[in-house]
Amino acid sequence: MITARHQAELIGNTDLLRIHSLSELTGCDIYLKCEFQNPGGSIKDRAALQMVEDAMQRGELKSGMTIVEGTAGNTGIGLALVAKSYGMQMLAVMPNDQAKEKERVLELYGAKLMTVEPCPFANPNHFYHRAKAVAEQHKDHWWANQFENTSNSRAHYLHTGPEIWQQTAGKIDILVSAAGTGGTIAGNSCYLKEQNGDVKVWLVDPDGSGIYEYLRSGEYKNHGSSITEGIGIMRMVENFRQARIDHGINLPDSDLVTIARYVRNKDGIVLGSSSALNVAGALFAALYSGPGKTVVTFACDLGERSASKLYNTAYLQQKGLLDCPKDVAPLLDKYRSQKWRDKVVSPNTSGA
């Protein structure tokens, strides 16, 4: 039995769940790291805790201060939870086009919420710049800066990676992850490759992000857009810089919609949009690599946080995604095709 003094102590040690349907189809063991089990409901709880504890240790952050962060939702929720655990306040600066479920959860945790219009990163009104500016205006405010603060990736190097290694008894062959700040893929890839250099790390990128093109050509270019939230970047940031990536693939929203429907119907697993992208990437990596592999990816957050988008018929119709195949067979055929195998990119260096 675990006795905790506050909720922050419950972060981590999440379970590994085999996705039976996709494992049987591919001949691989495809596992989900159940990050929705964290008290704030997402993998971002880990980064939030590490960033706060490291800042407290450095003397930058103390009880009674206010944490400020620009967020697509989940990092803000994690920071709000950790802030309450340590007697602090939380101010989240968030684009106003994110799922309303996340706004409600932030407010339930007592965070103050500032919403801003979505805009390009170069615009000073971008949520990242607004959060930084607000923090700089107050001596008792601390900016978490999740993109450049490497305590983010350190959380996964110290905790998530070792958990995966222990849970798979060191038998992991493939790690698959999307990237937002890059902390998850960086920390886990560094740890796992230190244990076994043969572990292959796959980056799965949605439309609207430039990471896939960066891995291919060294330039950040994008096309289209995605219903995923907090996934994909158009610039190099310090956390992602540390990632050790072997392969990258770009997958469209139609694939993640199909995957989300399929595993919900077959396995009773309700995935959020970023988690569905991860699972689609894991399916691709398993088919690309052949049977007998152990593949691990992340269920990043609670599936119901995507209810107003991924599981909303009207929204999917608006985005032209309502008629995506409900069966996974066409997706298997596509992923097995030479055309799609040729889309895989492999960076020339061990680091991103």
Side-chain angles (χ1 to χ4, degrees), residues 260-261 263-264 269-273 276 303-304 306-313 316:
R261 288 173 174 168
V263 299
R264 181 183 62 173
I269 302 170
V270 180
L271 298 170
S273 57
E304 54 260 40
S306 296
S308 63
K309 292 189 175 183
L310 183 56
Y311 300 103
N312 182 338
T313 299
L316 292 178

Side-chain angles (χ1 to χ4, degrees), residues 208 274 277:
S274 55
L277 178 65

Side-chain angles (χ1 to χ4, degrees), residues 190-333:
C190 287
Y191 178 83
L192 292 171
K193 281 182 171 290
E194 283 182 8
Q195 311 314 305
N196 178 5
D198 291 333
V199 173
K200 300 301 181 185
V201 177
W202 282 71
L203 181 286
V204 56
D205 208 33
D207 289 344
S209 170
I211 303 175
Y212 172 80
E213 182 61 28
Y214 172 77
L215 295 178
R216 192 185 74 82
S217 68
E219 295 184 58
Y220 281 95
K221 298 178 182 178
N222 70 338
H223 65 277
S225 61
S226 174
I227 66 172
T228 56
E229 296 181 351
I231 296 297
I233 44 180
M234 288 296 294
R235 66 191 190 279
M236 178 55 68
V237 297
E238 196 57 40
N239 279 291
F240 184 73
R241 192 186 305 277
Q242 300 177 12
R244 300 176 64 184
I245 296 168
D246 297 289
H247 304 298
I249 187 69
N250 166 244
L251 298 180
D253 281 353
S254 56
D255 291 11
L256 68 91
V257 172
T258 294
I259 283 291
R261 288 173 174 168
Y262 187 79
V263 299
R264 181 183 62 173
N265 293 337
K266 292 291 185 179
D267 304 277
I269 302 170
V270 180
L271 298 170
S273 57
S274 55
S275 304
L277 178 65
N278 277 342
V279 173
L283 175 63
F284 188 101
L287 293 171
Y288 183 94
S289 305
K293 303 296 191 296
T294 296
V295 184
V296 177
T297 192
F298 301 96
C300 305
D301 62 6
L302 292 160
E304 54 260 40
R305 288 188 185 164
S306 296
S308 63
K309 292 189 175 183
L310 183 56
Y311 300 103
N312 182 338
T313 299
Y315 180 83
L316 292 178
Q317 186 170 31
Q318 174 192 339
K319 295 294 183 179
L321 296 168
L322 190 59
D323 296 326
C324 296
K326 293 182 173 60
D327 184 65
V328 79
L331 202 58
L332 295 176
D333 291 340

